[in-house]
Amino acid sequence: MGFETKRFQGDVDEELICPICSGVLEDPLQAPACEHAFCRACITEWISRQPTCPVDRQAVTASQLRPVPRILRNLLSRLSTRCDNSVHGCNAILKLDSLPSHLAECEYNPKRPMPCEKGCGLVIPKDELADHNCVRELRALIATQQGKLTEYQQELAEQRLVINEHKRELALLKEFMRAMRVSNPTMRALAEQMERDEVARWAASLARARVTRWGGMISTPDDMLQVMMIKRSLSESGCPPHIIDELMENCHERRWPPGLSSLETRQNNRRLYEKYVCKRVPGKQAVLVLHCDNAHVDEHMMLEPGLVMIFAHGIE
């Protein structure tokens, strides 16, 4: 709907009047052929009922409507109008294009957001301040949030049930595959391939890591560091259960390949470290060097299913 003509100073040119609502054009659009202009809301509603121009009845669809020319927009913007809040005491006279910004700040706007000064800190419309009750509003807000929390908890419980069911089905499938591997070489190969694919998918989900100080490597981590920090983080990241214990064994230099088995060999082979594709152990100063990511690395520098290297510092 357009602006009421009586709110404008002086006469308004007929070209600036919407033929549908008889108000001054608001957010105008025009028909492509006849170029008749209308308020956006007016013409959109009209066309939804009958796809014709209201003036000359030429066929027109909503997708054919176009913005009015710049000269028409300029004429509209230069019209002088009273503020919408004149009935509430605002005496401002301003150009039409300045009206939106003025309304946002107008002190007479009854719907202007105002902070409550009684202590609750809620922002509410100005015309509701007189009847505002902090305790009532805060209770309502808490009730709403508790309702949302209950919904989230229910959704979470349902998702956990689904996840647990999937885990149970996966465990049964794995037990079946293990049983078949014992008696059927084909199934053994298939199961091994599935396990390799599972490791590859997990590896792809991990972030790349860069080691800036290889000298910070801890070659003989204690059991507490391994179990309480690294193993838990690997499990939470989705590490396939069938390799997690083996990876934890590979934290220690006693299980490292020949190229890393002693301080001397590690120093001699430091230039080869840059070949490693390292993945970050989430939240820890440690990296995974997985076999599936490092097929290009020499055999004397790699193990199946991979290495866990723990550092005192130097992981990005």
Side-chain angles (χ1 to χ4, degrees), residues 39-211:
C39 301
R40 179 185 293 270
C42 294
I43 190 61
T44 301
E45 182 180 353
W46 178 282
I47 288 179
S48 68
R49 297 195 301 266
Q50 46 184 323
T52 61
C53 172
V55 177
D56 56 23
R57 304 303 178 179
Q58 291 191 53
V60 62
T61 63
S63 62
Q64 293 174 324
L65 297 173
R66 296 291 182 266
V68 297
R70 180 186 297 273
I71 187 171
L72 188 58
R73 295 199 301 271
N74 290 343
L75 289 173
L76 285 168
S77 68
R78 292 170 186 166
L79 293 176
S80 296
T81 180
R82 296 197 308 270
C83 173
D84 290 5
N85 302 312
S86 59
V87 295
H88 301 293
C90 182
N91 296 317
I93 302 295
L94 55 151
K95 298 299 183 183
L96 189 57
D97 62 347
S98 302
L99 183 61
S101 58
H102 169 79
L103 290 176
E105 301 295 333
C106 181
E107 61 180 306
Y108 295 94
N109 182 359
K111 295 301 180 182
R112 182 184 179 188
M114 300 285 291
C116 172
E117 298 179 352
K118 297 179 182 179
C120 70
L122 294 176
V123 177
I124 55 179
K126 181 181 178 181
D127 60 352
E128 298 179 17
L129 277 175
D131 298 326
H132 173 67
N133 183 298
C134 295
V135 174
R136 183 183 65 233
E137 295 296 335
L138 287 174
R139 283 177 175 171
L141 181 61
I142 291 172
T144 300
Q145 296 302 320
Q146 286 178 334
K148 291 181 179 179
L149 178 60
T150 300
E151 291 178 3
Y152 294 150
Q153 289 173 336
Q154 290 175 347
E155 291 178 4
L156 181 59
E158 292 172 0
Q159 291 299 320
R160 283 175 175 167
L161 289 175
V162 173
I163 291 172
N164 289 336
E165 182 63 21
H166 288 168
K167 286 182 176 179
R168 188 184 70 83
E169 292 175 356
L170 181 61
L172 290 174
L173 177 61
K174 287 182 176 179
E175 287 298 325
F176 174 74
M177 297 297 289
R178 290 191 188 99
M180 293 298 294
R181 287 168 62 179
V182 174
S183 58
N184 189 321
T186 301
M187 292 300 298
R188 184 184 308 124
L190 177 60
E192 290 173 352
Q193 183 60 50
M194 289 177 63
E195 290 179 347
R196 287 195 293 270
D197 292 344
E198 185 180 5
V199 173
R201 284 193 297 270
W202 171 62
S205 71
L206 300 174
R208 287 286 295 266
R210 188 170 73 92
V211 180

Side-chain angles (χ1 to χ4, degrees), residues 9-23:
Q9 292 187 326
D11 295 331
V12 178
D13 192 291
E14 186 178 350
E15 296 297 324
L16 305 181
I17 301 297
C18 174
I20 299 176
C21 68
S22 299

Side-chain angles (χ1 to χ4, degrees), residues 219-255:
S219 59
T220 56
D222 57 45
D223 292 340
M224 185 65 69
L225 178 61
Q226 293 184 55
V227 176
M228 296 301 294
M229 293 181 63
I230 307 302
K231 186 174 183 179
R232 180 184 301 171
S233 185
L234 289 178
S235 179
E236 292 173 351
S237 73
C239 178
H242 68 275
I243 66 167
I244 194 167
D245 288 334
E246 193 169 359
L247 285 175
M248 294 314 304
E249 284 293 323
N250 292 352
C251 280
H252 200 285
E253 68 175 7
R254 64 174 173 266
R255 288 287 298 271

Side-chain angles (χ1 to χ4, degrees), residues 259-275:
L260 302 173
S261 60
S262 68
L263 179 61
E264 181 180 359
T265 57
R266 288 195 292 276
Q267 289 177 337
N268 291 337
N269 293 327
R270 287 184 68 173
R271 62 185 179 81
L272 300 179
Y273 295 162
E274 299 303 324
K275 293 185 178 181

